[in-house]
Amino acid sequence: MLRGVGPQLGARLAARGVTTLQDLWLHLPLRYEDRTRLTPIRLLRAGESAQVHGRIEAVERAFRGRPVLKVAVGDASDGTLVLRFFHFHAAQAKALRIGASIVCHGEVRAGQLGLEMVHPGYRVLDEDAPPHLSDRLDPVYPAIEGVGPVQLARIIGAALDYLPQDDVLELLPDGLWGDLSLPRWHEAVRFLHRPPPGVDLSDLARHRHPAQLRLALEELLSHQLSLRRQRLAVKQLGAQAFYPSERFARRLAATLPFALTAAQQRVLGDISRDLAHPEPMLRLVQGDVGSGKTIVAAFAALAAIESGAQVALMAPTELLAEQHAQSFRQWFEPLGIELVWLAGKVKGKAREAALARIAGGASLVVGTHALLQEPVRFANLALVIVDEQHRFGVRQRLVLRDKGASGTQVPHQLVMTATPIPRTLAMTAYADLDVSVIDELPPGRTPVQTVAINEHRRDEVIQRIRAACNEGRQAYWVCTLIEESDDPTAPGVPKIEARAAETAYDLLRQQLPDVRVGLIHGRMKPAEKQATMMAFKSGDIQLLVATTVIEVGVDVPNASLMLIENAERLGLAQLHQLRGRVGRGAAASSCVLMYKAPLSPLARERLAVMRETTDGFRIAEKDLELRGPGEFLGTRQTGLAGFRIADPVRDAALLPHVQVAADALLATAPHIADRLIDRWIGHAVRYADA
Ligand code: ADP
Ligand code: MG
């Protein structure tokens, strides 16, 4: 490798996937520091990064739980800036003495005593020595564990010496991007590491500079090609083809209290056509909450079961898997179809029995992640159905699929999600899947009326719930996390949520003695949860106090009122999912978003969106707009993850160009695809065995 990179350093870089010169070239700065100039202290503004030169006017060492060093710096503009250090050496403190001349740079923020910088970079100058100014912007690189920032910058600098000055590394044919005017590859890379002084940093900060676009486009293209290639590879494998006799399907249809919507029939048609081919289906069914995906999955399963094959249905939470097991039992038992239920909680003898029945060829296996465990073996698994697939990793989907692999045959895959992704994004997120959309809700649903109410009016709301329950309606009272961490998957979160729910449950029981109140949360025993859900379904419980465990999939059509506490803390996607638990029956439903004032502008906007629309696609688009790049729900689990430069959400506008370029490249220069995939994705080819 490079001079100065020994085995130890090499290993640290390799741990981050940096093994070649090219990897170093593509380890691009996150941002830049402008040390080419000095800013008079008077002109500083909070939020900016700047470099200032002045004299130390005062120094204060204090101890507030931990040592603090505060240094006031003044300059010719007659401004004062406070530097604040929380850890420092004695020698450092000594050098920062009153009267010393100092240059420092960092982010300016508003402190208690005016503007300040926390832990700025600084240099104490010799008396009267002029401050040294950089002749270029300083790149700030994404950190690599075990490699200091200075060392990293040095290594990358050394690698840049080897960056060719010509087009030897240019992989893309001229004209690939139509009339977009973009720099060459080597120009773009050099520019981003070494932007000249005077460049507009705001363009770079917004990722709108042509050099960034040039590389982002290429990276998006590489991912697109990789996904398409993997899809082709899967399609080359064989799968069992099913020509259903429909004897089961007809009988199921006859017992249903409703007819499928046109959208459900269309999607089912897509699936049936896929299943009739001896190549594996890879289909995503997207449908808003309540659009009726489950019954579509049931008909799909019948096609395989009629032919004597096995079907596995996996759901992300036990509550949902359990509910599916119940629905399918109700639909399939009259047809004499054997169903096995498997979740983590199935233990001991029951588990042994379940495993034996699965290995013995039971027609339908419904369960949670437990299906992925090693001892689970199928006899003839031919169709894998994954519900709420955004909750699973791609890997997990493949583990299940591989349980049905035999010879060159693999099972068909049907994945379902209620997470709508705007069209442009879907092409990137799901380039390895065919997509069918259930774009119609079953008839007779009235849109959920949504209101936002200040929590001061809690009593009023409670009386409203009492009235609704007394009229025979059922309601959810959802307690959401109120603690610091907003990550519902963080350890400890179910506990905090559970405590909030228990408190609410006790209060509501006191306040509503004439209402049958139930409680469900993630910390309860599975059997208790199940019993509670059954009681709610049957109407024994009128008001169910719940945590966000009910967020996915739960289906109790008679529940027509939902109250969500701390609604201002939740994202749009989660609010939409939660609200999707009501509005499933014929009765008009309502949803009360209870919030604590004051609302941040963002929270205000989110609540407004929820009041305005119940359309999942509209909400998803808004979500994207409000949340900004990279945080869109489900992105981690789809092809939207794992980018170095591009962010498919932020760069969504580029995606149509990428589609066109991918078609063009595959048609005219398919050999380039390998080199592109190698450059950007390398060994880490995602879904390597998809
Ligand atoms: P989701 O798409 O959110 O998974 P479900 O499959 O849980 O939705 O269906 C929601 C509810 O709608 C269920 O109670 C289901 O029985 C009912 N349902 C499904 N299809 C229809 C239909 N065509 N007509 C009436 N009700 C339906
Ligand atoms: Mg569902």
Side-chain angles (χ1 to χ4, degrees):
M1 215 193 178
L2 280 177
R3 229 163 358 118
V5 178
Q8 203 183 10
L9 185 51
R12 286 180 188 151
L13 294 173
R16 260 294 285 271
V18 177
T19 55
T20 63
L21 274 176
Q22 189 162 264
D23 293 332
L24 285 168
W25 296 332
L26 293 178
H27 197 77
L28 293 170
L30 283 175
R31 58 189 176 82
Y32 304 89
E33 276 175 2
D34 185 356
R35 279 183 254 165
T36 63
R37 57 202 170 97
L38 297 169
T39 305
I41 292 176
R42 276 239 173 258
L43 300 185
L44 291 177
R45 278 198 314 238
E48 287 178 342
S49 285
Q51 173 166 259
V52 304
H53 175 217
R55 276 190 192 282
I56 297 180
E57 293 176 339
V59 178
E60 182 190 311
R61 271 178 89 153
F63 192 88
R64 306 230 161 77
R66 55 182 175 169
V68 186
L69 180 63
K70 285 196 291 183
V71 176
V73 176
D75 72 356
S77 74
D78 226 14
T80 305
L81 173 71
V82 174
L83 315 182
R84 196 184 279 271
F85 299 89
F86 295 108
H87 26 86
F88 47 90
H89 309 298
Q92 227 176 339
K94 205 167 144 208
L96 292 168
R97 56 184 169 71
I98 293 177
S101 164
I102 185 171
V103 171
C104 51
H105 62 90
E107 192 179 309
V108 181
R109 54 175 226 187
Q112 297 136 334
L113 311 165
L115 295 180
E116 59 179 38
M117 285 183 184
V118 176
H119 279 274
Y122 70 93
R123 175 176 293 228
V124 176
L125 304 178
D126 287 340
E127 203 48 37
D128 296 331
H132 167 82
L133 297 182
S134 292
D135 52 4
R136 56 179 168 85
L137 296 173
D138 292 303
V140 179
Y141 290 104
I144 291 186
E145 206 179 317
V147 186
V150 176
Q151 190 179 29
L152 184 59
R154 186 183 57 71
I155 300 167
I156 292 173
L160 286 178
D161 290 343
Y162 294 90
L163 181 68
Q165 305 273 6
D166 56 24
D167 273 349
V168 289
L169 292 174
E170 185 64 54
L171 294 180
L172 303 183
D174 286 341
L176 188 67
W177 303 114
D179 45 15
L180 293 181
S181 157
L182 299 167
R184 314 291 300 165
W185 195 82
H186 71 92
E187 291 167 349
V189 171
R190 189 176 305 279
F191 180 93
L192 292 175
H193 287 286
R194 298 277 181 265
V199 126
D200 184 355
L201 279 181
S202 70
D203 253 9
L204 285 168
R206 285 183 300 123
H207 293 264
R208 279 290 157 268
H209 192 278
Q212 291 165 315
L213 297 184
R214 166 67 182 79
L215 297 179
L217 279 164
E218 187 179 302
E219 181 173 35
L220 290 167
L221 174 64
S222 308
H223 279 248
Q224 177 71 212
L225 291 168
S226 164
L227 285 171
R228 288 199 196 184
R229 169 152 305 182
Q230 283 150 31
R231 184 191 145 80
L232 280 178
V234 178
K235 287 287 182 186
Q236 261 151 29
L237 297 170
Q240 297 182 48
F242 298 117
Y243 308 96
S245 65
E246 304 217 324
R247 72 195 152 95
F248 280 157
R250 225 171 282 128
R251 281 170 61 195
L252 174 58
T255 62
L256 287 179
F258 52 77
L260 295 189
T261 61
Q264 285 171 315
Q265 284 174 26
R266 178 170 41 72
V267 171
L268 199 52
D270 292 343
I271 296 170
S272 307
R273 265 189 303 282
D274 287 346
L275 292 177
H277 276 289
E279 71 181 32
M281 165 171 80
L282 287 170
R283 187 166 293 278
L284 171 76
V285 171
Q286 227 181 62
D288 209 346
V289 285
S291 61
K293 294 182 289 293
T294 320
I295 191 70
V296 169
F299 279 107
L302 285 184
I305 292 170
E306 279 177 349
S307 307
Q310 272 182 303
V311 177
L313 168 64
M314 180 164 73
T317 66
E318 201 174 277
L319 203 61
L320 178 54
E322 180 94 51
Q323 179 187 289
H324 281 335
Q326 274 170 28
S327 308
F328 279 77
R329 218 171 260 135
Q330 187 194 331
W331 292 328
F332 286 9
E333 242 163 28
L335 307 177
I337 294 172
E338 181 183 9
L339 183 150
V340 179
W341 157 249
L342 188 68
K345 70 166 189 220
V346 180
K347 296 233 165 70
K349 281 220 173 73
R351 183 178 148 85
E352 291 307 313
L355 291 178
R357 286 169 64 202
I358 297 170
S363 295
L364 178 65
V365 183
V366 178
T368 58
H369 296 82
L371 296 183
L372 304 173
Q373 291 162 355
E374 200 276 322
V376 180
R377 303 241 165 81
F378 292 83
N380 177 21
L381 178 61
L383 170 63
V384 164
I385 304 174
V386 179
D387 194 17
E388 306 289 349
Q389 72 103 29
H390 58 280
R391 294 287 187 108
F392 291 99
V394 174
R395 288 268 149 233
Q396 294 174 311
R397 192 177 98 207
L398 294 178
V399 167
L400 188 53
R401 186 204 70 178
D402 288 342
K403 287 182 181 284
S406 66
T408 58
Q409 283 201 330
V410 293
H412 297 284
Q413 294 179 63
L414 177 64
V415 298
M416 308 196 286
T417 184
T419 307
I421 289 195
R423 248 188 74 72
T424 43
L425 271 185
M427 289 190 273
T428 291
Y430 302 128
D432 59 337
L433 298 170
D434 295 305
V435 179
S436 298
V437 183
I438 306 184
D439 52 5
E440 177 187 0
L441 292 179
R445 304 261 174 95
T446 40
V448 181
Q449 285 292 332
T450 302
V451 292
I453 288 183
N454 189 310
E455 63 164 7
H456 290 142
R457 292 168 59 193
R458 178 182 293 256
D459 287 340
E460 205 179 302
V461 172
I462 291 175
Q463 290 320 316
R464 207 171 127 182
I465 289 175
R466 158 181 282 146
C469 289
N470 288 339
E471 282 168 22
R473 293 169 67 185
Q474 286 176 281
Y476 293 98
W477 182 288
V478 186
C479 299
T480 65
L481 187 60
I482 42 166
E483 235 64 3
E484 281 299 279
S485 161
D486 275 340
D487 178 3
T489 61
V493 165
K495 202 159 142 192
I496 303 164
E497 274 200 343
R499 227 182 298 130
E502 272 159 3
T503 311
Y505 171 68
D506 289 341
L507 281 173
L508 285 167
R509 268 202 318 181
Q510 280 169 25
Q511 284 179 284
L512 299 172
D514 51 341
V515 172
R516 297 185 300 276
V517 187
L519 170 68
I520 191 160
H521 60 65
R523 309 266 298 171
M524 281 162 48
K525 291 221 174 65
E528 286 176 280
K529 273 192 274 188
Q530 193 186 343
T532 305
M533 263 342 272
M534 294 278 277
F536 191 49
K537 268 200 161 172
S538 70
D540 284 348
I541 291 174
Q542 295 169 287
L543 172 63
L544 182 62
V545 179
T547 60
T548 51
V549 290
I550 59 147
E551 179 183 342
V552 284
V554 168
D555 181 40
V556 180
N558 191 49
S560 61
L561 180 57
M562 171 172 281
L563 176 132
I564 303 176
E565 280 199 86
N566 302 303
E568 80 280 6
R569 308 289 299 253
L570 299 186
L572 278 176
Q574 200 175 11
L575 286 171
H576 179 62
Q577 281 281 341
L578 280 170
R579 183 173 62 181
R581 302 306 121 217
V582 292
R584 298 180 154 247
S589 295
S590 33
C591 176
V592 178
L593 305 173
M594 202 154 71
Y595 64 85
K596 193 179 280 153
L599 287 175
S600 71
L602 189 62
R604 186 178 300 276
E605 180 100 359
R606 283 196 300 247
L607 297 184
V609 172
M610 290 301 291
R611 284 206 309 268
E612 267 158 37
T613 183
T614 51
D615 176 343
F617 278 89
R618 276 271 302 125
I619 291 174
E621 262 159 23
K622 259 320 221 190
D623 197 19
L624 200 57
E625 198 181 302
L626 293 179
R627 272 209 271 183
E631 285 181 50
F632 195 62
L633 180 83
T635 49
R636 254 178 309 152
Q637 278 77 17
T638 65
L640 298 181
F643 288 84
R644 302 188 195 207
I645 295 168
D647 178 324
V649 175
R650 181 191 65 215
D651 300 331
L654 302 179
L655 296 173
H657 293 283
V658 171
Q659 295 293 326
V660 173
D663 292 338
L665 202 73
L666 288 174
T668 58
H671 56 281
I672 295 175
D674 284 327
R675 295 184 56 199
L676 278 171
I677 292 170
D678 197 50
R679 167 180 287 172
W680 289 98
I681 308 170
H683 308 296
V685 175
R686 282 160 317 128
Y687 330 169
D689 44 359

